[in-house]
Amino acid sequence: MTKQDRAVRTRLALIRSAAGQFEARGYVQASLAEISAGAGVSSGALHFHFANKAAVAEAVEHAAARALRRAAARGRDGDGCALQRLVDVTHQVARLLCADSVVRAGLRLNAEAAAGRVRDLRREWRECVDDLLAEAERQGELAAGVPPHRTGAVVLAATTGIEVLAREDHGWLARPSLTDLWQLLLPSLAAPHLAGALDPAGTRPGHVDADHAETGLSLANTL
């Protein structure tokens, strides 16, 4: 292993450890000593990579943002029924949150603006939802009288609520929770010709991609 690879691996270990601390204790209570200890490195090694706690939190937030944006992009930029892709991307993001402590911690830091936002990730999620609903309207997938913008607000509120509740109980991120949500919403959203054609449980495989699992980080995207 090269010196550069070792440095990158140390940085990744610090980000993972920091995410665990931020998720469990919050930004204020997390300490640099505990972060370095959790990563198995000295405090000097931590300060080689990060000037202070805010810099560590910013790195966690950046890593989470990358993973969430990739998940959202796969739904927004795909082919086929836009409403089904909206259902699928909510399940994908939920699986990512369930599997990845860095994503959970980064989203919480972003919402609390603890380290100065990379960008408002909730706004980005709203944009993803709105884009897919606008596409669904163009393709004639929405029932008559369904306003895409107001519908987007409902989806945003429901999915954000699930994410907040999941901070105490990850069961909220399980597939049945989102399936129940979509079973309630789809009959009122979808055009009649789509009745029975949409799967509220999602059509994508029930796993998180390997490059997203446990941090969504890799040597390549950290260099």
Side-chain angles (χ1 to χ4, degrees):
M1 185 186 300
T2 67
K3 184 176 181 180
Q4 184 182 31
D5 284 347
R6 284 196 297 272
V8 171
R9 290 182 186 280
T10 297
R11 180 182 174 86
L12 297 185
L14 286 165
I15 291 173
R16 292 186 186 102
S17 176
Q21 289 293 321
F22 292 141
E23 183 183 19
R25 308 187 63 194
Y27 177 79
V28 173
Q29 294 299 319
S31 74
L32 291 178
E34 290 170 325
I35 291 170
S36 59
V41 302
S42 67
S43 59
L46 184 150
H47 285 290
F48 175 81
H49 291 278
F50 302 105
N52 50 41
K53 185 165 64 172
V56 184
E58 185 177 0
V60 171
E61 195 176 326
H62 269 289
R66 281 195 299 270
L68 287 165
R69 286 165 183 159
R70 283 197 298 269
R74 280 199 302 279
R76 183 162 45 189
D77 302 335
D79 297 320
C81 177
L83 265 183
Q84 185 63 64
R85 281 187 280 128
L86 176 57
V87 173
D88 290 348
V89 76
T90 61
H91 281 284
Q92 176 67 18
V93 170
R95 289 193 293 268
L96 184 59
L97 282 164
C98 193
D100 193 332
S101 62
V102 172
V103 173
R104 293 193 301 272
L107 189 56
R108 180 172 180 174
L109 288 168
N110 186 258
E112 296 173 352
R117 285 174 170 166
V118 175
R119 195 186 167 192
D120 187 342
L121 294 179
R122 296 200 194 284
R123 179 179 297 174
E124 290 190 23
W125 174 240
R126 173 67 183 267
E127 291 170 358
C128 176
V129 171
D130 284 347
D131 286 349
L132 284 166
L133 286 169
E135 183 180 348
E137 183 182 42
R138 290 193 300 271
Q139 295 181 173
E141 297 172 9
L142 297 182
V146 171
H149 188 73
R150 290 174 61 188
T151 302
V154 171
V155 174
L156 177 71
T159 52
T160 299
I162 287 173
E163 179 262 321
V164 172
L165 289 168
R167 294 178 187 176
E168 301 297 328
D169 178 4
H170 289 177
W172 282 98
L173 296 171
R175 194 176 189 187
S177 293
L178 278 171
T179 300
D180 288 346
L181 171 66
W182 287 115
Q183 283 177 333
L184 290 171
L185 291 180
L186 286 175
S188 61
L189 297 183
H193 72 275
L194 288 176
L198 300 173
D199 186 352
T203 62
R204 300 290 179 88
H207 64 272
V208 177
D209 291 349
D211 65 337
H212 291 163
E214 202 42 44
T215 77
L217 297 171
S218 68
L219 291 178
N221 67 23
T222 306
L223 293 174

PDB file of all heavy atoms in Angstrom, residues 38-76:
ATOM      1  N   GLY A  38     -11.810   6.234  17.896  1.00  0.00           N
ATOM      2  CA  GLY A  38     -12.674   5.336  17.141  1.00  0.00           C
ATOM      3  C   GLY A  38     -12.074   4.923  15.818  1.00  0.00           C
ATOM      4  O   GLY A  38     -12.360   3.831  15.308  1.00  0.00           O
ATOM      5  N   ALA A  39     -11.244   5.784  15.252  1.00  0.00           N
ATOM      6  CA  ALA A  39     -10.580   5.473  13.986  1.00  0.00           C
ATOM      7  C   ALA A  39      -9.277   4.714  14.201  1.00  0.00           C
ATOM      8  O   ALA A  39      -8.654   4.256  13.232  1.00  0.00           O
ATOM      9  CB  ALA A  39     -10.306   6.757  13.206  1.00  0.00           C
ATOM     10  N   GLY A  40      -8.844   4.593  15.456  1.00  0.00           N
ATOM     11  CA  GLY A  40      -7.603   3.887  15.749  1.00  0.00           C
ATOM     12  C   GLY A  40      -6.355   4.662  15.366  1.00  0.00           C
ATOM     13  O   GLY A  40      -5.330   4.065  15.025  1.00  0.00           O
ATOM     14  N   VAL A  41      -6.439   5.997  15.433  1.00  0.00           N
ATOM     15  CA  VAL A  41      -5.282   6.824  15.086  1.00  0.00           C
ATOM     16  C   VAL A  41      -5.038   7.844  16.199  1.00  0.00           C
ATOM     17  O   VAL A  41      -5.888   8.047  17.076  1.00  0.00           O
ATOM     18  CB  VAL A  41      -5.492   7.549  13.745  1.00  0.00           C
ATOM     19  CG1 VAL A  41      -5.754   6.549  12.621  1.00  0.00           C
ATOM     20  CG2 VAL A  41      -6.638   8.560  13.829  1.00  0.00           C
ATOM     21  N   SER A  42      -3.914   8.502  16.144  1.00  0.00           N
ATOM     22  CA  SER A  42      -3.572   9.508  17.145  1.00  0.00           C
ATOM     23  C   SER A  42      -4.284  10.824  16.831  1.00  0.00           C
ATOM     24  O   SER A  42      -4.768  11.055  15.715  1.00  0.00           O
ATOM     25  CB  SER A  42      -2.070   9.748  17.152  1.00  0.00           C
ATOM     26  OG  SER A  42      -1.659  10.353  15.935  1.00  0.00           O
ATOM     27  N   SER A  43      -4.331  11.701  17.840  1.00  0.00           N
ATOM     28  CA  SER A  43      -4.926  13.013  17.615  1.00  0.00           C
ATOM     29  C   SER A  43      -4.109  13.806  16.595  1.00  0.00           C
ATOM     30  O   SER A  43      -4.656  14.605  15.833  1.00  0.00           O
ATOM     31  CB  SER A  43      -5.034  13.785  18.931  1.00  0.00           C
ATOM     32  OG  SER A  43      -3.756  13.952  19.520  1.00  0.00           O
ATOM     33  N   GLY A  44      -2.812  13.534  16.569  1.00  0.00           N
ATOM     34  CA  GLY A  44      -1.960  14.203  15.583  1.00  0.00           C
ATOM     35  C   GLY A  44      -2.337  13.807  14.168  1.00  0.00           C
ATOM     36  O   GLY A  44      -2.337  14.650  13.260  1.00  0.00           O
ATOM     37  N   ALA A  45      -2.654  12.533  13.985  1.00  0.00           N
ATOM     38  CA  ALA A  45      -3.076  12.068  12.657  1.00  0.00           C
ATOM     39  C   ALA A  45      -4.389  12.728  12.254  1.00  0.00           C
ATOM     40  O   ALA A  45      -4.595  13.089  11.086  1.00  0.00           O
ATOM     41  CB  ALA A  45      -3.218  10.549  12.649  1.00  0.00           C
ATOM     42  N   LEU A  46      -5.299  12.871  13.219  1.00  0.00           N
ATOM     43  CA  LEU A  46      -6.565  13.540  12.911  1.00  0.00           C
ATOM     44  C   LEU A  46      -6.315  14.971  12.453  1.00  0.00           C
ATOM     45  O   LEU A  46      -6.873  15.417  11.440  1.00  0.00           O
ATOM     46  CB  LEU A  46      -7.481  13.521  14.135  1.00  0.00           C
ATOM     47  CG  LEU A  46      -8.891  14.110  13.941  1.00  0.00           C
ATOM     48  CD1 LEU A  46      -9.893  13.430  14.867  1.00  0.00           C
ATOM     49  CD2 LEU A  46      -8.923  15.623  14.200  1.00  0.00           C
ATOM     50  N   HIS A  47      -5.460  15.689  13.180  1.00  0.00           N
ATOM     51  CA  HIS A  47      -5.220  17.093  12.836  1.00  0.00           C
ATOM     52  C   HIS A  47      -4.420  17.243  11.550  1.00  0.00           C
ATOM     53  O   HIS A  47      -4.426  18.320  10.939  1.00  0.00           O
ATOM     54  CB  HIS A  47      -4.533  17.806  13.999  1.00  0.00           C
ATOM     55  CG  HIS A  47      -5.459  18.103  15.139  1.00  0.00           C
ATOM     56  ND1 HIS A  47      -6.464  19.043  15.065  1.00  0.00           N
ATOM     57  CD2 HIS A  47      -5.551  17.550  16.378  1.00  0.00           C
ATOM     58  CE1 HIS A  47      -7.125  19.081  16.202  1.00  0.00           C
ATOM     59  NE2 HIS A  47      -6.595  18.181  17.019  1.00  0.00           N
ATOM     60  N   PHE A  48      -3.746  16.179  11.117  1.00  0.00           N
ATOM     61  CA  PHE A  48      -3.084  16.211   9.817  1.00  0.00           C
ATOM     62  C   PHE A  48      -4.132  16.318   8.704  1.00  0.00           C
ATOM     63  O   PHE A  48      -3.909  16.975   7.684  1.00  0.00           O
ATOM     64  CB  PHE A  48      -2.238  14.952   9.617  1.00  0.00           C
ATOM     65  CG  PHE A  48      -1.619  14.843   8.255  1.00  0.00           C
ATOM     66  CD1 PHE A  48      -0.454  15.529   7.952  1.00  0.00           C
ATOM     67  CD2 PHE A  48      -2.210  14.066   7.268  1.00  0.00           C
ATOM     68  CE1 PHE A  48       0.115  15.442   6.682  1.00  0.00           C
ATOM     69  CE2 PHE A  48      -1.650  13.966   6.000  1.00  0.00           C
ATOM     70  CZ  PHE A  48      -0.479  14.655   5.712  1.00  0.00           C
ATOM     71  N   HIS A  49      -5.274  15.663   8.910  1.00  0.00           N
ATOM     72  CA  HIS A  49      -6.321  15.643   7.887  1.00  0.00           C
ATOM     73  C   HIS A  49      -7.359  16.741   8.082  1.00  0.00           C
ATOM     74  O   HIS A  49      -7.926  17.239   7.102  1.00  0.00           O
ATOM     75  CB  HIS A  49      -7.025  14.283   7.895  1.00  0.00           C
ATOM     76  CG  HIS A  49      -6.173  13.158   7.406  1.00  0.00           C
ATOM     77  ND1 HIS A  49      -5.995  12.884   6.072  1.00  0.00           N
ATOM     78  CD2 HIS A  49      -5.435  12.243   8.089  1.00  0.00           C
ATOM     79  CE1 HIS A  49      -5.192  11.837   5.933  1.00  0.00           C
ATOM     80  NE2 HIS A  49      -4.841  11.430   7.147  1.00  0.00           N
ATOM     81  N   PHE A  50      -7.651  17.094   9.327  1.00  0.00           N
ATOM     82  CA  PHE A  50      -8.731  18.047   9.608  1.00  0.00           C
ATOM     83  C   PHE A  50      -8.269  19.075  10.629  1.00  0.00           C
ATOM     84  O   PHE A  50      -7.757  18.722  11.692  1.00  0.00           O
ATOM     85  CB  PHE A  50      -9.961  17.313  10.142  1.00  0.00           C
ATOM     86  CG  PHE A  50     -10.494  16.259   9.211  1.00  0.00           C
ATOM     87  CD1 PHE A  50     -10.283  14.913   9.482  1.00  0.00           C
ATOM     88  CD2 PHE A  50     -11.185  16.611   8.057  1.00  0.00           C
ATOM     89  CE1 PHE A  50     -10.762  13.938   8.635  1.00  0.00           C
ATOM     90  CE2 PHE A  50     -11.669  15.641   7.201  1.00  0.00           C
ATOM     91  CZ  PHE A  50     -11.462  14.302   7.483  1.00  0.00           C
ATOM     92  N   ALA A  51      -8.525  20.334  10.335  1.00  0.00           N
ATOM     93  CA  ALA A  51      -8.054  21.405  11.217  1.00  0.00           C
ATOM     94  C   ALA A  51      -8.823  21.445  12.527  1.00  0.00           C
ATOM     95  O   ALA A  51      -8.267  21.785  13.577  1.00  0.00           O
ATOM     96  CB  ALA A  51      -8.180  22.752  10.508  1.00  0.00           C
ATOM     97  N   ASN A  52     -10.098  21.072  12.494  1.00  0.00           N
ATOM     98  CA  ASN A  52     -10.939  21.168  13.682  1.00  0.00           C
ATOM     99  C   ASN A  52     -12.188  20.304  13.497  1.00  0.00           C
ATOM    100  O   ASN A  52     -12.351  19.646  12.462  1.00  0.00           O
ATOM    101  CB  ASN A  52     -11.322  22.626  13.959  1.00  0.00           C
ATOM    102  CG  ASN A  52     -11.863  23.314  12.707  1.00  0.00           C
ATOM    103  OD1 ASN A  52     -12.619  22.721  11.940  1.00  0.00           O
ATOM    104  ND2 ASN A  52     -11.464  24.565  12.507  1.00  0.00           N
ATOM    105  N   LYS A  53     -13.070  20.326  14.485  1.00  0.00           N
ATOM    106  CA  LYS A  53     -14.274  19.488  14.434  1.00  0.00           C
ATOM    107  C   LYS A  53     -15.196  19.918  13.297  1.00  0.00           C
ATOM    108  O   LYS A  53     -15.839  19.078  12.656  1.00  0.00           O
ATOM    109  CB  LYS A  53     -15.001  19.530  15.778  1.00  0.00           C
ATOM    110  CG  LYS A  53     -16.196  18.571  15.833  1.00  0.00           C
ATOM    111  CD  LYS A  53     -16.692  18.338  17.255  1.00  0.00           C
ATOM    112  CE  LYS A  53     -17.228  19.557  17.911  1.00  0.00           C
ATOM    113  NZ  LYS A  53     -17.885  19.283  19.213  1.00  0.00           N
ATOM    114  N   ALA A  54     -15.263  21.216  13.040  1.00  0.00           N
ATOM    115  CA  ALA A  54     -16.117  21.689  11.947  1.00  0.00           C
ATOM    116  C   ALA A  54     -15.663  21.108  10.610  1.00  0.00           C
ATOM    117  O   ALA A  54     -16.488  20.761   9.754  1.00  0.00           O
ATOM    118  CB  ALA A  54     -16.112  23.211  11.894  1.00  0.00           C
ATOM    119  N   ALA A  55     -14.360  20.984  10.429  1.00  0.00           N
ATOM    120  CA  ALA A  55     -13.837  20.429   9.178  1.00  0.00           C
ATOM    121  C   ALA A  55     -14.182  18.947   9.051  1.00  0.00           C
ATOM    122  O   ALA A  55     -14.481  18.454   7.955  1.00  0.00           O
ATOM    123  CB  ALA A  55     -12.332  20.622   9.109  1.00  0.00           C
ATOM    124  N   VAL A  56     -14.147  18.218  10.173  1.00  0.00           N
ATOM    125  CA  VAL A  56     -14.546  16.805  10.147  1.00  0.00           C
ATOM    126  C   VAL A  56     -16.024  16.691   9.792  1.00  0.00           C
ATOM    127  O   VAL A  56     -16.422  15.872   8.954  1.00  0.00           O
ATOM    128  CB  VAL A  56     -14.276  16.127  11.507  1.00  0.00           C
ATOM    129  CG1 VAL A  56     -14.612  14.643  11.426  1.00  0.00           C
ATOM    130  CG2 VAL A  56     -12.833  16.308  11.939  1.00  0.00           C
ATOM    131  N   ALA A  57     -16.851  17.517  10.423  1.00  0.00           N
ATOM    132  CA  ALA A  57     -18.281  17.482  10.149  1.00  0.00           C
ATOM    133  C   ALA A  57     -18.566  17.830   8.692  1.00  0.00           C
ATOM    134  O   ALA A  57     -19.441  17.217   8.053  1.00  0.00           O
ATOM    135  CB  ALA A  57     -19.016  18.457  11.071  1.00  0.00           C
ATOM    136  N   GLU A  58     -17.836  18.774   8.146  1.00  0.00           N
ATOM    137  CA  GLU A  58     -18.028  19.140   6.744  1.00  0.00           C
ATOM    138  C   GLU A  58     -17.690  17.967   5.826  1.00  0.00           C
ATOM    139  O   GLU A  58     -18.382  17.725   4.830  1.00  0.00           O
ATOM    140  CB  GLU A  58     -17.161  20.344   6.394  1.00  0.00           C
ATOM    141  CG  GLU A  58     -17.384  20.859   4.979  1.00  0.00           C
ATOM    142  CD  GLU A  58     -16.561  22.103   4.672  1.00  0.00           C
ATOM    143  OE1 GLU A  58     -15.815  22.563   5.558  1.00  0.00           O
ATOM    144  OE2 GLU A  58     -16.660  22.596   3.534  1.00  0.00           O
ATOM    145  N   ALA A  59     -16.638  17.209   6.164  1.00  0.00           N
ATOM    146  CA  ALA A  59     -16.274  16.045   5.360  1.00  0.00           C
ATOM    147  C   ALA A  59     -17.359  14.974   5.412  1.00  0.00           C
ATOM    148  O   ALA A  59     -17.675  14.331   4.400  1.00  0.00           O
ATOM    149  CB  ALA A  59     -14.944  15.478   5.843  1.00  0.00           C
ATOM    150  N   VAL A  60     -17.947  14.762   6.592  1.00  0.00           N
ATOM    151  CA  VAL A  60     -19.049  13.806   6.725  1.00  0.00           C
ATOM    152  C   VAL A  60     -20.230  14.264   5.875  1.00  0.00           C
ATOM    153  O   VAL A  60     -20.852  13.476   5.150  1.00  0.00           O
ATOM    154  CB  VAL A  60     -19.474  13.664   8.210  1.00  0.00           C
ATOM    155  CG1 VAL A  60     -20.755  12.837   8.328  1.00  0.00           C
ATOM    156  CG2 VAL A  60     -18.359  13.021   9.021  1.00  0.00           C
ATOM    157  N   GLU A  61     -20.539  15.541   5.943  1.00  0.00           N
ATOM    158  CA  GLU A  61     -21.660  16.082   5.197  1.00  0.00           C
ATOM    159  C   GLU A  61     -21.439  15.956   3.690  1.00  0.00           C
ATOM    160  O   GLU A  61     -22.352  15.589   2.937  1.00  0.00           O
ATOM    161  CB  GLU A  61     -21.855  17.546   5.580  1.00  0.00           C
ATOM    162  CG  GLU A  61     -23.184  18.128   5.170  1.00  0.00           C
ATOM    163  CD  GLU A  61     -23.359  19.557   5.678  1.00  0.00           C
ATOM    164  OE1 GLU A  61     -22.859  19.868   6.779  1.00  0.00           O
ATOM    165  OE2 GLU A  61     -23.994  20.337   4.964  1.00  0.00           O
ATOM    166  N   HIS A  62     -20.219  16.228   3.222  1.00  0.00           N
ATOM    167  CA  HIS A  62     -19.888  16.094   1.805  1.00  0.00           C
ATOM    168  C   HIS A  62     -20.074  14.649   1.348  1.00  0.00           C
ATOM    169  O   HIS A  62     -20.613  14.395   0.260  1.00  0.00           O
ATOM    170  CB  HIS A  62     -18.443  16.535   1.558  1.00  0.00           C
ATOM    171  CG  HIS A  62     -18.297  17.985   1.222  1.00  0.00           C
ATOM    172  ND1 HIS A  62     -18.703  18.530   0.017  1.00  0.00           N
ATOM    173  CD2 HIS A  62     -17.771  19.015   1.941  1.00  0.00           C
ATOM    174  CE1 HIS A  62     -18.442  19.821   0.009  1.00  0.00           C
ATOM    175  NE2 HIS A  62     -17.883  20.151   1.159  1.00  0.00           N
ATOM    176  N   ALA A  63     -19.584  13.700   2.143  1.00  0.00           N
ATOM    177  CA  ALA A  63     -19.698  12.284   1.778  1.00  0.00           C
ATOM    178  C   ALA A  63     -21.162  11.867   1.688  1.00  0.00           C
ATOM    179  O   ALA A  63     -21.573  11.163   0.757  1.00  0.00           O
ATOM    180  CB  ALA A  63     -18.962  11.418   2.799  1.00  0.00           C
ATOM    181  N   ALA A  64     -21.964  12.307   2.648  1.00  0.00           N
ATOM    182  CA  ALA A  64     -23.385  11.986   2.628  1.00  0.00           C
ATOM    183  C   ALA A  64     -24.066  12.612   1.414  1.00  0.00           C
ATOM    184  O   ALA A  64     -24.893  11.974   0.750  1.00  0.00           O
ATOM    185  CB  ALA A  64     -24.049  12.488   3.913  1.00  0.00           C
ATOM    186  N   ALA A  65     -23.706  13.853   1.114  1.00  0.00           N
ATOM    187  CA  ALA A  65     -24.317  14.541  -0.022  1.00  0.00           C
ATOM    188  C   ALA A  65     -24.029  13.813  -1.328  1.00  0.00           C
ATOM    189  O   ALA A  65     -24.924  13.656  -2.172  1.00  0.00           O
ATOM    190  CB  ALA A  65     -23.797  15.983  -0.098  1.00  0.00           C
ATOM    191  N   ARG A  66     -22.790  13.346  -1.501  1.00  0.00           N
ATOM    192  CA  ARG A  66     -22.451  12.620  -2.733  1.00  0.00           C
ATOM    193  C   ARG A  66     -23.302  11.370  -2.888  1.00  0.00           C
ATOM    194  O   ARG A  66     -23.835  11.086  -3.966  1.00  0.00           O
ATOM    195  CB  ARG A  66     -20.968  12.233  -2.729  1.00  0.00           C
ATOM    196  CG  ARG A  66     -20.015  13.357  -3.086  1.00  0.00           C
ATOM    197  CD  ARG A  66     -18.638  12.809  -3.407  1.00  0.00           C
ATOM    198  NE  ARG A  66     -18.043  12.107  -2.284  1.00  0.00           N
ATOM    199  CZ  ARG A  66     -17.276  12.681  -1.367  1.00  0.00           C
ATOM    200  NH1 ARG A  66     -17.041  13.976  -1.411  1.00  0.00           N
ATOM    201  NH2 ARG A  66     -16.758  11.965  -0.385  1.00  0.00           N
ATOM    202  N   ALA A  67     -23.426  10.606  -1.819  1.00  0.00           N
ATOM    203  CA  ALA A  67     -24.180   9.352  -1.882  1.00  0.00           C
ATOM    204  C   ALA A  67     -25.665   9.613  -2.144  1.00  0.00           C
ATOM    205  O   ALA A  67     -26.299   8.930  -2.951  1.00  0.00           O
ATOM    206  CB  ALA A  67     -23.998   8.559  -0.592  1.00  0.00           C
ATOM    207  N   LEU A  68     -26.232  10.602  -1.468  1.00  0.00           N
ATOM    208  CA  LEU A  68     -27.649  10.913  -1.653  1.00  0.00           C
ATOM    209  C   LEU A  68     -27.923  11.444  -3.056  1.00  0.00           C
ATOM    210  O   LEU A  68     -28.945  11.111  -3.673  1.00  0.00           O
ATOM    211  CB  LEU A  68     -28.092  11.934  -0.604  1.00  0.00           C
ATOM    212  CG  LEU A  68     -28.223  11.384   0.819  1.00  0.00           C
ATOM    213  CD1 LEU A  68     -28.294  12.525   1.829  1.00  0.00           C
ATOM    214  CD2 LEU A  68     -29.439  10.485   0.947  1.00  0.00           C
ATOM    215  N   ARG A  69     -27.006  12.251  -3.580  1.00  0.00           N
ATOM    216  CA  ARG A  69     -27.200  12.782  -4.928  1.00  0.00           C
ATOM    217  C   ARG A  69     -27.130  11.685  -5.979  1.00  0.00           C
ATOM    218  O   ARG A  69     -27.862  11.720  -6.971  1.00  0.00           O
ATOM    219  CB  ARG A  69     -26.155  13.860  -5.211  1.00  0.00           C
ATOM    220  CG  ARG A  69     -26.432  15.161  -4.476  1.00  0.00           C
ATOM    221  CD  ARG A  69     -25.237  16.080  -4.468  1.00  0.00           C
ATOM    222  NE  ARG A  69     -25.515  17.288  -3.699  1.00  0.00           N
ATOM    223  CZ  ARG A  69     -24.573  18.076  -3.189  1.00  0.00           C
ATOM    224  NH1 ARG A  69     -23.289  17.788  -3.375  1.00  0.00           N
ATOM    225  NH2 ARG A  69     -24.907  19.155  -2.514  1.00  0.00           N
ATOM    226  N   ARG A  70     -26.246  10.715  -5.782  1.00  0.00           N
ATOM    227  CA  ARG A  70     -26.176   9.599  -6.733  1.00  0.00           C
ATOM    228  C   ARG A  70     -27.475   8.807  -6.706  1.00  0.00           C
ATOM    229  O   ARG A  70     -27.996   8.415  -7.753  1.00  0.00           O
ATOM    230  CB  ARG A  70     -24.999   8.679  -6.388  1.00  0.00           C
ATOM    231  CG  ARG A  70     -23.653   9.224  -6.815  1.00  0.00           C
ATOM    232  CD  ARG A  70     -22.611   8.113  -6.836  1.00  0.00           C
ATOM    233  NE  ARG A  70     -22.404   7.520  -5.527  1.00  0.00           N
ATOM    234  CZ  ARG A  70     -21.495   7.926  -4.646  1.00  0.00           C
ATOM    235  NH1 ARG A  70     -20.710   8.953  -4.937  1.00  0.00           N
ATOM    236  NH2 ARG A  70     -21.374   7.329  -3.478  1.00  0.00           N
ATOM    237  N   ALA A  71     -28.001   8.554  -5.510  1.00  0.00           N
ATOM    238  CA  ALA A  71     -29.252   7.793  -5.400  1.00  0.00           C
ATOM    239  C   ALA A  71     -30.401   8.546  -6.060  1.00  0.00           C
ATOM    240  O   ALA A  71     -31.206   7.966  -6.785  1.00  0.00           O
ATOM    241  CB  ALA A  71     -29.571   7.516  -3.932  1.00  0.00           C
ATOM    242  N   ALA A  72     -30.478   9.844  -5.823  1.00  0.00           N
ATOM    243  CA  ALA A  72     -31.552  10.648  -6.416  1.00  0.00           C
ATOM    244  C   ALA A  72     -31.409  10.727  -7.929  1.00  0.00           C
ATOM    245  O   ALA A  72     -32.399  10.670  -8.663  1.00  0.00           O
ATOM    246  CB  ALA A  72     -31.552  12.050  -5.808  1.00  0.00           C
ATOM    247  N   ALA A  73     -30.180  10.855  -8.404  1.00  0.00           N
ATOM    248  CA  ALA A  73     -29.958  10.989  -9.847  1.00  0.00           C
ATOM    249  C   ALA A  73     -30.395   9.751 -10.600  1.00  0.00           C
ATOM    250  O   ALA A  73     -30.899   9.839 -11.724  1.00  0.00           O
ATOM    251  CB  ALA A  73     -28.479  11.276 -10.125  1.00  0.00           C
ATOM    252  N   ARG A  74     -30.216   8.579  -9.995  1.00  0.00           N
ATOM    253  CA  ARG A  74     -30.615   7.355 -10.685  1.00  0.00           C
ATOM    254  C   ARG A  74     -32.120   7.330 -10.926  1.00  0.00           C
ATOM    255  O   ARG A  74     -32.584   6.816 -11.941  1.00  0.00           O
ATOM    256  CB  ARG A  74     -30.188   6.121  -9.887  1.00  0.00           C
ATOM    257  CG  ARG A  74     -28.731   5.778 -10.069  1.00  0.00           C
ATOM    258  CD  ARG A  74     -28.488   4.337  -9.658  1.00  0.00           C
ATOM    259  NE  ARG A  74     -28.890   4.094  -8.278  1.00  0.00           N
ATOM    260  CZ  ARG A  74     -28.153   4.402  -7.215  1.00  0.00           C
ATOM    261  NH1 ARG A  74     -26.984   4.973  -7.382  1.00  0.00           N
ATOM    262  NH2 ARG A  74     -28.574   4.140  -6.003  1.00  0.00           N
ATOM    263  N   GLY A  75     -32.897   7.882 -10.005  1.00  0.00           N
ATOM    264  CA  GLY A  75     -34.328   7.942 -10.204  1.00  0.00           C
ATOM    265  C   GLY A  75     -34.723   9.048 -11.166  1.00  0.00           C
ATOM    266  O   GLY A  75     -35.502   8.842 -12.088  1.00  0.00           O
ATOM    267  N   ARG A  76     -34.150  10.221 -10.993  1.00  0.00           N
ATOM    268  CA  ARG A  76     -34.542  11.365 -11.807  1.00  0.00           C
ATOM    269  C   ARG A  76     -34.125  11.187 -13.264  1.00  0.00           C
ATOM    270  O   ARG A  76     -34.838  11.611 -14.175  1.00  0.00           O
ATOM    271  CB  ARG A  76     -33.911  12.637 -11.225  1.00  0.00           C
ATOM    272  CG  ARG A  76     -34.304  13.898 -11.961  1.00  0.00           C
ATOM    273  CD  ARG A  76     -34.037  15.149 -11.152  1.00  0.00           C
ATOM    274  NE  ARG A  76     -32.734  15.143 -10.514  1.00  0.00           N
ATOM    275  CZ  ARG A  76     -32.349  16.054  -9.621  1.00  0.00           C
ATOM    276  NH1 ARG A  76     -33.176  17.001  -9.253  1.00  0.00           N
ATOM    277  NH2 ARG A  76     -31.156  16.013  -9.082  1.00  0.00           N
TER     278      ARG A  76
END
